[in-house]
Amino acid sequence: MKIRHLIASLLLLMACAAPLRAQWVGDTVSVPAFLNKEKNLIDFNGADWSPLFAEMDSLQNGSDSTARVVSIVHIGDSHIQAGYLTEAVRLPLQRRFGDAGRGLVVPLKLAKTNEPHDYSVVADGAWNFARCVGRKYSAYTPGIGGIAIVPRTNRIDLTVSTLSKTDDCEGFRRVRLFHEPTDSFPAVISEPYRVTGEARSPFLTCYSWNDPVCSIHFSGQIAPGEERLAIYGASLETGESGILYHTIGNNGAFYSSYAAIPHFAEQVAALAPRLIVISLGTNESFSTSLTRDELYKQIDAVVAPLQASCPQALILLTTPAECARRRTRWVKKRRRVYYSPNSRVTLVRETLKAYAADHHLACWDWYEVSGGKGSSTAWRKAGLMAYDRTHCTETGYRIQGEMLYRTLMNAYQDYVDNGVAQ
């Protein structure tokens, strides 16, 4: 059903002749000695990454005069939602191979959860929401980012901005808005902005313009009785050659959380990923009833549809680091809290590695790299892990991102040197 009389305007809120992104200073972080740096390798399990690295090489060398983009999608849980880990991978990749934009941003704050620090999605009026984890407003269906926001009235006022701690910002010339229904948002748009041909693609409408902006405003009116509009997220892009690194993270997410999102794989396919990184498993390790066979099936319920919808994409599975369980005991009639290593992380790690080997998918064993058994205590003592011994501090996540970036670049360099990546 179409949304009639929807008037959409894109307002230039902030623009500059040549906007620059305020970059996190110091991609190279101090890596603690207890990490197994010699184990920081990708096990390709026979997967051929040469086509991906060849595209990256052409970006770095500028051998192709046309604007080309290598799109990476990183899917995960709270470790990914915070944004620090993926930022520590994205920024150095873009400095080396070109900056194609901020990538997917999701209105997480409007869904009553935390949002990365470098963008903002704000709205006027009252909005309902749904999340792929939990049952809040379960009548609505989450989309590509694991959430949906739905206006309670027939008025839409939504502003998407890139943020900075300096006077600079990360400019963009192109927005791909993920939403449903998909055939009518917006109906009218004024120059110099235009809806491109992708407006007819499932799940998204694409806008582009000439000069970079740092903030954009969507507004419109939904006619009474028309189908309610659900917004899932937006990809912010420069229109230039380089890396697009899209982040999809949800606190408390399992593999089964993403498997339950209708058309999740098809929506990911709209981002045209060449590499999909999946960092899940921590929450599964806290489920005492989950068996190895059940977990294997849940992994497949996410990976198999992604492979079917994104045949051009390579897939990299990552294992979770050691975490700890919160326990209590009584000492002299007083209740004491303590933590002990979560032994079920081993089951999750082994299942992920087995699935990757069985299906010839690459695997990065972060459990081993981060220190293996007993490492959560070392991370906590070093101030790199939060009090719950499960989540990291900002610096801890940046270390993990740094190590992922290093192993990707080591594999890329092997390809450059030897012409083979597998």
Side-chain angles (χ1 to χ4, degrees), residues 295-315:
L295 176 57
Y296 194 99
K297 292 177 181 178
Q298 290 176 10
I299 297 168
D300 191 64
V302 173
V303 173
L306 287 172
Q307 288 182 303
S309 297
C310 312
Q312 79 287 353
L314 297 161
I315 293 180

Side-chain angles (χ1 to χ4, degrees), residues 84 104 193 212 236 307:
Y84 299 122
L104 185 68
Y193 312 107
L236 310 181
Q307 288 182 303

Side-chain angles (χ1 to χ4, degrees), residues 3-11 155-157 177 184-191 193-195 205 207 217-222 229:
I3 304 174
R4 298 181 182 87
H5 313 298
L6 177 60
I7 301 174
S9 63
L10 297 174
L11 304 178
R155 181 70 186 171
I156 298 169
D157 277 295
L177 183 72
S184 54
F185 184 80
V188 179
I189 192 165
S190 59
E191 294 294 339
Y193 312 107
R194 65 184 184 276
V195 181
T205 302
Y207 315 84
H217 182 199
F218 299 93
S219 66
Q221 195 79 16
I222 303 173
L229 177 75

Side-chain angles (χ1 to χ4, degrees), residues 263-280:
H263 310 296
F264 176 70
E266 293 93 330
Q267 292 182 54
V268 171
L271 297 173
R274 293 295 286 114
L275 173 63
I276 299 173
V277 184
I278 306 178
S279 298
L280 291 162

Side-chain angles (χ1 to χ4, degrees), residues 223-334:
E226 294 292 345
E227 186 175 351
R228 184 66 68 209
L229 177 75
I231 295 175
Y232 304 137
S235 178
L236 310 181
E237 304 171 11
T238 63
E240 304 290 339
S241 294
I243 300 290
L244 267 178
Y245 201 107
H246 306 283
T247 299
I248 301 171
N250 287 270
N251 297 340
F254 293 69
Y255 272 92
S256 58
S257 304
Y258 291 105
I261 298 176
H263 310 296
F264 176 70
E266 293 93 330
Q267 292 182 54
V268 171
L271 297 173
R274 293 295 286 114
L275 173 63
I276 299 173
V277 184
I278 306 178
S279 298
L280 291 162
T282 297
N283 294 302
E284 282 86 348
S285 73
F286 285 92
S287 175
T288 57
S289 61
L290 185 65
T291 67
R292 188 186 305 271
D293 289 343
E294 289 170 341
L295 176 57
Y296 194 99
K297 292 177 181 178
Q298 290 176 10
I299 297 168
D300 191 64
V302 173
V303 173
L306 287 172
Q307 288 182 303
S309 297
C310 312
Q312 79 287 353
L314 297 161
I315 293 180
L316 173 63
L317 301 182
T318 77
T319 65
E322 184 188 76
C323 56
R325 286 183 175 274
R326 185 178 185 272
R327 304 184 185 278
T328 60
R329 62 186 174 193
W330 292 90
V331 179
K332 296 181 179 180
K333 298 184 179 181
R334 291 188 177 183

Side-chain angles (χ1 to χ4, degrees), residues 28-49:
T28 303
V29 293
S30 178
V31 177
F34 55 80
L35 265 66
N36 294 322
K37 293 183 282 294
E38 71 283 357
K39 301 288 187 179
N40 193 30
L41 303 169
I42 294 174
D43 187 347
F44 290 101
N45 289 313
D48 183 7
W49 280 38

